[in-house]
Amino acid sequence: MAKKVAVLAVNPVNGFGLFQYLEAFFENGISYKVFAVAENKEIKTNSGLTLITDDVIANLKRHEDEYDALVFGCGDAIPKFSENADKPYNQDMMAVIKTFGEKGKLMIGHCAAGMIFEFAGITEGKKIAVHPLAKAAVQKAVATDEKSEIDGNFYTAQTENSVWTMMEKVLEALK
């Protein structure tokens, strides 16, 4: 039986990255639900398109056991996160990521995902691919220069342009 995936979409989200996951999951019969890392379900892409997600991050908290994997759909994650770190939705996001990681669930993402996973305290000793500008912030994981890395339950890609390099393995793990 295919696994169920919780997809986190920051506001604004990188549509190209997000839609690669969603299209691949849809085409392969993998169940997913998109959660806005925001106060409401309406978010935007980096290019300004409005998206209505399935739910908000606050409603994923305490429901982590209903999912087998988490995808972090990056966008302007780091600048927006630093501007809004004290907001409940970002605190909820970090708590949810930490819970998924501590439970050993599949952790999937690109760009700053590995760095956000590290901020949540779940990457110690793991090889991760992160955006080159985020590499210096990674201290406990091993940030590589590879287009993507798969290390145990962590599936990370350097940017949205390299998500495809790990997608076959992501789909295998989710089927």
Side-chain angles (χ1 to χ4, degrees):
M1 186 169 132
K3 294 178 171 49
K4 190 172 177 185
V5 182
V7 179
L8 306 185
V10 299
N11 187 24
V13 69
N14 178 282
F16 181 54
L18 176 66
F19 294 134
Q20 287 180 79
Y21 297 113
L22 301 184
E23 191 70 20
F25 298 162
F26 176 79
E27 288 178 357
N28 286 277
I30 295 167
S31 177
Y32 66 88
K33 190 170 183 180
V34 180
F35 294 87
V37 180
E39 293 170 341
N40 59 59
K41 297 191 301 183
E42 184 176 304
I43 63 171
K44 294 206 178 280
T45 66
N46 286 352
S47 60
L49 293 174
T50 299
L51 302 175
I52 306 298
T53 62
D54 298 310
D55 210 337
V56 294
I57 188 71
N59 295 331
L60 179 55
K61 241 177 123 177
R62 293 176 296 286
H63 294 280
E64 295 91 346
D65 286 338
E66 297 172 21
Y67 298 88
D68 304 291
L70 179 135
V71 169
F72 182 82
C74 201
D76 288 341
I78 299 310
K80 291 298 180 187
F81 180 77
S82 66
E83 289 172 20
N84 300 295
D86 62 333
K87 298 276 198 262
Y89 57 84
N90 275 329
Q91 293 172 359
D92 290 343
M93 175 188 73
M94 296 308 289
V96 163
I97 289 171
K98 185 171 182 68
T99 299
F100 269 80
E102 287 175 344
K103 291 178 178 268
K105 295 180 183 249
L106 296 176
M107 305 298 294
I108 304 161
H110 65 281
C111 201
M115 187 172 69
I116 294 290
F117 295 163
E118 171 144 325
F119 290 170
I122 58 172
T123 60
E124 182 129 10
K126 295 288 188 182
K127 279 191 202 175
I128 57 172
V130 296
H131 190 284
L133 296 175
K135 191 174 175 187
V138 174
Q139 302 297 313
K140 294 184 179 175
V142 178
T144 73
D145 292 320
E146 298 298 320
K147 295 291 182 200
S148 62
E149 286 287 354
I150 298 169
D151 189 351
N153 59 318
F154 284 80
Y155 294 72
T156 53
Q158 196 175 59
T159 69
E160 65 276 5
N161 295 316
S162 56
V163 168
W164 69 272
T165 66
M166 67 175 185
M167 192 55 79
E168 183 178 332
K169 294 291 184 188
V170 166
L171 294 173
E172 284 175 17
L174 292 172
K175 287 184 177 181

